[in-house]
Amino acid sequence: MKEKTHPDYHKITVVMTDGSSFETKSTWGKEGATLRLDIDPKTHPAWTGVRQSVDRGGRVQRFKDRFGMTGSAEGGVGAGTKSSGAKPEATPAKGAAKKK
């Protein structure tokens, strides 16, 4: 096996978002380094199953302002565009009897 082909594997401390910490081995950083997490399994929706909307820097509001989405029933995709005035045909409910 070739010498010096593998990275240094050493102990580091990982600090979770709630302040708790644990020691593990990693190739990240140097021996004794501290890795502080922004997102971890205790808070991330992929693991918790709880969805939360995080708006960092007003990005959602800027998007809504740019595309004219006000959050009302009339707003949304295509809001502010001219329509032909034609109403879409009503679709029958599931299981409704068909006319002959």
Side-chain angles (χ1 to χ4, degrees):
M1 180 157 56
K2 291 185 180 180
E3 298 270 335
K4 299 183 181 181
T5 58
H6 297 285
D8 181 35
Y9 191 61
H10 50 269
K11 289 184 180 181
I12 65 166
T13 302
V14 178
V15 179
M16 307 289 262
T17 56
D18 66 353
S20 62
S21 64
F22 63 93
E23 195 172 90
T24 187
K25 286 190 163 193
S26 175
T27 58
W28 181 86
K30 298 187 183 221
E31 178 79 29
T34 301
L35 175 63
R36 297 189 182 279
L37 300 178
D38 293 332
I39 298 175
D40 63 31
K42 293 181 182 179
T43 60
H44 196 278
W47 289 282
T48 62
V50 177
R51 294 196 59 142
Q52 58 186 7
S53 177
V54 177
D55 183 14
R56 296 184 178 165
R59 292 181 185 157
V60 172
Q61 188 58 47
R62 284 197 313 260
F63 179 84
K64 287 179 179 179
D65 292 344
R66 182 175 179 186
F67 294 104
M69 295 179 193
T70 60
S72 67
E74 295 175 4
V77 177
T81 60
K82 293 181 182 178
S83 64
S84 64
K87 293 183 180 178
E89 291 183 25
T91 55
K94 268 190 172 178
K98 293 182 181 180
K99 293 181 182 178
K100 291 185 179 180

